[in-house]
Amino acid sequence: MNLDVAIKKKLTKLEAVMWSIALPGFAQLLTGNLVKGIFFVILEFLVNVNSHFNKGIMYSFLGETEKAMYVLDYQWLMFYPCLYMFAMWDAYRSVMPEDEKITFLPFVFSAYFVTVGLMISPKVKIFGIFPGPVFLPMSFVIPGVLIGLLIRKIIIRFYKD
């Protein structure tokens, strides 16, 4: 076995983002960025374990969103959106064409929106239903991406040079 050859694969943009959704750092590992990939995986585990996020996810999917709210450590969980979106953007950036510009905006706005969704999640009910600290922030990804894409489009249109 040749140990000199690292796993290095050219991923598509979709593959890079999907592997990052699965676990931050996976896309970096697949593209041969081993130090960065291991760093992201360790950070993800550190934040996940200290925030008790997996318990929160489990309770949320079992319909016990109030229990999820009480089991989570919000001080640790607040790091998750930025870590997650940064690792995703980094994976995307590593495989995007050179001529693509300001691609970070949808990822940055998603991180902002998910963080806000997490902060307000203990107080929000929608039609009398408490979505909780997992589902409400997840739903904030969509407006974050859309606003980021809109601002990116406006900036590119006015600053084409």
Side-chain angles (χ1 to χ4, degrees):
M1 182 167 133
N2 186 355
L3 296 176
D4 295 336
V5 179
I7 298 170
K8 193 163 191 160
K9 182 179 188 233
K10 180 67 176 162
L11 300 176
T12 66
K13 293 185 288 186
L14 180 61
E15 284 176 309
V17 170
M18 294 304 282
W19 278 115
S20 276
I21 289 171
L23 190 79
F26 273 9
Q28 287 80 1
L29 292 172
L30 285 171
T31 57
N33 296 309
L34 301 180
V35 173
K36 195 187 299 185
I38 291 167
F39 182 68
F40 283 143
V41 170
I42 290 170
L43 278 177
E44 198 282 337
F45 275 105
L46 181 70
V47 172
N48 188 301
V49 168
N50 284 301
S51 67
H52 310 286
F53 195 38
N54 285 347
K55 278 186 182 175
I57 292 170
M58 183 184 77
Y59 286 134
S60 294
F61 275 89
L62 292 173
E64 300 179 47
T65 52
E66 294 242 350
K67 223 178 203 181
M69 179 179 70
Y70 290 113
V71 77
L72 291 173
D73 184 331
Y74 284 82
Q75 293 300 314
W76 275 98
L77 194 55
M78 295 284 288
F79 288 108
Y80 208 78
C82 290
L83 168 63
Y84 204 81
M85 290 299 165
F86 180 77
M88 215 181 300
W89 170 74
D90 182 73
Y92 183 89
R93 182 180 60 100
S94 71
V95 298
M96 74 181 194
E98 287 286 321
D99 61 336
E100 264 189 72
K101 303 294 181 211
I102 51 179
T103 58
F104 62 89
L105 285 172
F107 297 96
V108 168
F109 276 90
S110 287
Y112 294 156
F113 275 63
V114 171
T115 302
V116 169
L118 181 60
M119 288 188 291
I120 66 170
S121 68
K123 303 257 182 206
V124 173
K125 285 189 175 185
I126 301 171
F127 303 115
I129 298 169
F130 178 63
V134 173
F135 295 127
L136 185 71
M138 280 173 48
S139 68
F140 277 44
V141 169
I142 296 165
V145 167
L146 293 175
I147 289 173
L149 287 171
L150 177 66
I151 291 171
R152 180 177 181 266
K153 187 174 183 171
I154 291 168
I155 290 171
I156 287 172
R157 185 170 185 187
F158 288 108
Y159 298 101
K160 230 169 180 158
D161 302 327

